[in-house]
Amino acid sequence: MPGTNPRELGLLADCESCFGLCCVALPFSASADFAADKDAGQPCRNLRDDFRCAIHAELRPRGFPGCTVFDCFGAGQKVSQVTFEGRSWREAPGSARQMYAVFPVMRQLHELLWYLAEALEIEAARPIRPALADALDRTERLTRESAAVLEKLDVAAHRAEVNELLLRTSELARAGLGGGERRGADLIGARLRGADLRGANLRGAYLIGADLRGADLRQADLIGADLRGADLSGADLTGGIFLTQPQVNAARGDNATRLPAALTRPAHWPDTASRPAGPRRRPSGRRNRR
């Protein structure tokens, strides 16, 4: 069985080993996150011939903050170097369509590996560790299937199976903390400054633009929570369950924000607390929730 270290599992993005798949395979629309429209399969106008971003150091001021939030969990290099054995879509144009189709599937599998690896490290989840270890092993083996298999994989069914284990892990980890149930709650622009949310179930909660300054989010289940624009200045998220780097990247924070050890403070966060976040207009399309 594979280990549980994200680096050993290849879950940390290595753009040097990727064919710029996030800049080609995925679509985006002109918005506050992206300065232009781009169809799936169309290379971003800023993608260079060497698969590097021409404006990487200036993405935010140039109108592409969405790029700084995205994280593929290492799926890009897996598809590039393992599934397609190091042959890029430029070298083998005939593989492009399939490569673009496989990339989002691989990203979902790698995201599941991230959650399962974390779950295996949670002491309270000891009673279900054999099941978690088996799920991690099966998921990792799926990532090494052929492109033909991955393209047709029912990844939604696999996610649903794994999610049952993640739910049980969350319940075990939060037992006795009395954090409350706010799964899928509409907390857009909510005033939660200094709130005691320790051990809360915030799975899939909409926390867009919420004021969470100084909030206690220790051991809170944050899987799928939408933290876009949420102010986490001074908040304590240590021990937060199933929190990912993309969620942190999408939020606002400062040098007083406490994060789980596996995550890093985004470079665009200021060194001082941000201003209170006011209510924001509800986004036109909601993301899938677990």
Side-chain angles (χ1 to χ4, degrees), residues 49-183:
D49 290 342
D50 61 358
F51 304 116
R52 295 172 182 266
C53 176
I55 62 168
H56 185 267
E58 301 178 308
L59 282 167
R60 284 183 169 269
R62 296 283 288 272
F64 289 88
C67 296
T68 68
V69 171
F70 181 80
D71 191 299
C72 73
F73 296 97
Q77 67 256 29
K78 176 71 75 64
V79 173
S80 299
Q81 303 302 328
V82 177
T83 312
F84 287 87
E85 301 179 330
R87 296 190 68 198
S88 76
W89 47 271
R90 284 198 175 114
E91 295 173 283
S95 69
R97 184 205 62 78
Q98 190 174 53
M99 191 179 295
Y100 303 156
V102 167
F103 174 62
V105 173
M106 186 70 77
R107 185 185 183 276
Q108 291 190 66
L109 292 175
H110 271 224
E111 183 180 11
L112 290 177
L113 286 175
W114 180 279
Y115 294 141
L116 287 166
E118 179 181 338
L120 281 164
E121 294 298 316
I122 296 175
E123 182 60 30
R126 181 179 291 274
I128 61 170
R129 275 183 182 168
L132 288 168
D134 178 67
L136 185 144
D137 183 59
R138 287 186 290 110
T139 304
E140 202 279 333
R141 282 189 277 112
L142 281 175
T143 70
R144 298 187 178 276
E145 290 284 1
S146 67
V149 170
L150 287 165
E151 185 179 14
K152 297 178 180 180
L153 179 67
D154 188 349
V155 71
H158 186 68
R159 286 189 75 101
E161 181 182 345
V162 171
N163 192 49
E164 291 301 315
L165 289 171
L166 300 180
L167 277 167
R168 182 58 181 148
T169 298
S170 173
E171 291 168 356
L172 291 169
R174 296 182 298 106
L177 294 177
E181 289 291 323
R182 300 196 182 192
R183 183 175 182 178

